[in-house]
C-alpha cells in the first residue's frame, strides 16, 4: 500500500471506531478558518477528537486554530468539523496539509464546507463582509503533484466548477431569506506566512482576485479530486492597503478578532445550507 494511503486509512480507522461507538456517521465535513471556530458551539451531541490523539496526524499551530475534530449534529445533519486547519506555511508538506480532507472522505462525507479569514482585494469590500467563493487562483503548491492516489480520484481532475453552483445558489437564497448581505468572488491563495505587499495587492486585483488568504485551495483541490462538492466562504477581516507611506500594519491578532465578530453571519449561512442538503 502507498504510505500516504496507509497513513490516511490508519487515521480514519481510529476516528471511525470512536464515531461508531457513538452511532455517528458524518455526511458533511467543515473546515473552520482563523477565528471562525465558534460554529462548533452550535453542533449538538458532540464528540471531540484532538488531532494529537490521532495516529500519524499533525497538530495545528496557527493563531485561532484549536486542533480538534468536533463531530455531532448541525441543522439535523451529522457533521465533522475541523476546529483549525493545517497550512503549508507551518512547514507541513502538501500531503499532510490535505490529510484531514482525505480522512473525512474515507469516513464518508458527501459535502465539504470550507471557511477562511481573508484580506479584501476588491476595493468595494469592507471588514466584516462575507464572500461566497465562486472560483480561486491557487499559488500554493498543488497537493496532487506526485504519484496519483487512484482510490481517491483521477490523475487529471476537472476544476471547471471547484465550488458547487447548486450550493452557491442555495446559499444566496438563504442569505436573502435571512437578510444576510453576501458578496461573491474569487479567492487568491498564496503560501504566506507574510501578508501581502501593496504591489502584490495590486497584482492580485489585476489578475481577477477579490480576496486573498493562505489556505483553502489545497483542501478544495483534493475534495474535487475525490468528487466531493464544495461550498466556501471567506470572511473579510482586513482590506488592501496600497499606500506604502501609510501607518497601516496588518495584525494577525486583529484579523482573528474581526473573524470572530463576523462569524455569526457565516454560521447562519452554513447552518441554513446544511439544513437543506
Amino acid at each position: 500500500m502507498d504510505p500516504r494511503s496507509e497513513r490516511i486509512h490508519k487515521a480514519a480507522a481510529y476516528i471511525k471506531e470512536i464515531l461508531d461507538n457513538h452511532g455517528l456517521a458524518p455526511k458533511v465535513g467543515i473546515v473552520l478558518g482563523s477565528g471562525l471556530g465558534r460554529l462548533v458551539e452550535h453542533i449538538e451531541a458532540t464528540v471531540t477528537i484532538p488531532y494529537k490523539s490521532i495516529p500519524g496526524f499533525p497538530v495545528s499551530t496557527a493563531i485561532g486554530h484549536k486542533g480538534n475534530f468536533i463531530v455531532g449534529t448541525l441543522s439535523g445533519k451529522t457533521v465533522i468539523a475541523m476546529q483549525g486547519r493545517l497550512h503549508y506555511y507551518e512547514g507541513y508538506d502538501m500531503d499532510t496539509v490535505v490529510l484531514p480532507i482525505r480522512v473525512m472522505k474515507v469516513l464518508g462525507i458527501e459535502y465539504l464546507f470550507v471557511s477562511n479569514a481573508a484580506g479584501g482585494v476588491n476595493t468595494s469590500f469592507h471588514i466584516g463582509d462575507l464572500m461566497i467563493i465562486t472560483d480561486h487562483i491557487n499559488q500554493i503548491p498543488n497537493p496532487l503533484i506526485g504519484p496519483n492516489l487512484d482510490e481517491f480520484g483521477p490523475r487529471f481532475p476537472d476544476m471547471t466548477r471547484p465550488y458547487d453552483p447548486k450550493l452557491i445558489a442555495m446559499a444566496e437564497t438563504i442569505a436573502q431569506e435571512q437578510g444576510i448581505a453576501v458578496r461573491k468572488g474569487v479567492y487568491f491563495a498564496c503560501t504566506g506566512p507574510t501578508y501581502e505587499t501593496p504591489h502584490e495587492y495590486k497584482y492580485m486585483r489585476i489578475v481577477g482576485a477579490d480576496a486573498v488568504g493562505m489556505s483553502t485551495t489545497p483542501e478544495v483541490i483534493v475534495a474535487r479530486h475525490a468528487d466531493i462538492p464544495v461550498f466556501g466562504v471567506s470572511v473579510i477581516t482586513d482590506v488592501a492597503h496600497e499606500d506604502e507611506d501609510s501607518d497601516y500594519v496588518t495584525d494577525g491578532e486583529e484579523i482573528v478578532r474581526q473573524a470572530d465578530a463576523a462569524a455569526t453571519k457565516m454560521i447562519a449561512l452554513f447552518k441554513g445550507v446544511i439544513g437543506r442538503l
Side-chain angles (χ1 to χ4, degrees):
M1 179 183 287
D2 186 308
R4 297 171 299 166
S5 184
E6 185 175 2
R7 183 185 187 191
I8 294 162
H9 285 279
K10 186 174 182 180
Y14 175 86
I15 297 169
K16 188 175 187 304
E17 182 176 1
I18 295 173
L19 299 187
D20 285 349
N21 289 336
H22 291 83
L24 294 170
K27 179 176 182 177
V28 180
I30 305 173
V31 183
L32 298 171
S34 299
L36 299 172
R38 283 202 294 116
L39 182 138
V40 302
E41 298 169 8
H42 296 256
I43 300 174
E44 300 173 353
T46 60
V47 174
T48 300
I49 306 173
Y51 297 163
K52 63 183 179 182
S53 73
I54 303 169
F57 218 82
V59 296
S60 181
T61 65
I63 297 173
H65 293 252
K66 293 187 177 180
N68 299 308
F69 276 121
I70 308 294
V71 190
T73 304
L74 183 68
S75 297
K77 306 297 189 302
T78 302
V79 304
I80 178 167
M82 290 181 65
Q83 196 178 27
R85 57 157 48 94
L86 307 168
H87 303 80
Y88 183 64
Y89 68 71
E90 295 176 77
Y92 296 121
D93 60 52
M94 292 309 297
D95 285 323
T96 299
V97 170
V98 299
L99 173 66
I101 309 304
R102 287 175 167 150
V103 167
M104 288 192 286
K105 169 66 176 179
V106 173
L107 293 173
I109 66 165
E110 299 174 22
Y111 300 91
L112 181 68
F113 283 53
V114 294
S115 66
N116 57 62
V121 176
N122 188 314
T123 56
S124 70
F125 284 8
H126 300 94
I127 292 173
D129 283 351
L130 292 190
M131 185 189 84
I132 295 173
I133 307 173
T134 58
D135 200 352
H136 68 231
I137 300 168
N138 181 50
Q139 293 297 300
I140 300 174
N142 193 303
L144 301 183
I145 292 172
N148 187 51
L149 286 171
D150 294 334
E151 66 179 294
F152 288 94
R155 169 76 283 187
F156 300 106
D158 176 55
M159 289 294 288
T160 307
R161 289 169 291 278
Y163 302 86
D164 190 78
K166 292 181 180 178
L167 295 178
I168 291 171
M170 191 184 300
E172 289 183 284
T173 298
I174 290 165
Q176 186 175 22
E177 291 172 354
Q178 298 192 17
I180 302 171
V182 293
R183 310 276 194 161
K184 294 198 309 185
V186 176
Y187 177 81
F188 189 109
C190 52
T191 65
T194 52
Y195 292 111
E196 296 71 37
T197 71
H199 279 78
E200 285 171 339
Y201 272 128
K202 291 180 181 179
Y203 164 75
M204 292 169 189
R205 186 176 300 117
I206 289 169
V207 299
D210 295 289
V212 58
M214 306 173 190
S215 66
T216 303
T217 55
E219 298 151 348
V220 173
I221 290 168
V222 165
R224 295 306 302 132
H225 178 243
D227 199 29
I228 301 170
V230 176
F231 176 68
V233 169
S234 291
V235 177
I236 306 303
T237 52
D238 64 309
V239 293
H241 284 259
E242 297 180 1
D243 181 1
E244 297 93 328
D245 297 325
S246 75
D247 294 331
Y248 180 82
V249 176
T250 308
D251 182 344
E253 297 284 355
E254 178 62 19
I255 285 171
V256 171
R257 285 191 291 272
Q258 292 296 339
D260 183 69
T264 300
K265 295 184 292 183
M266 187 206 76
I267 290 167
L269 197 60
F270 273 26
K271 288 176 67 177
V273 177
I274 289 170
R276 297 188 187 184
L277 295 178

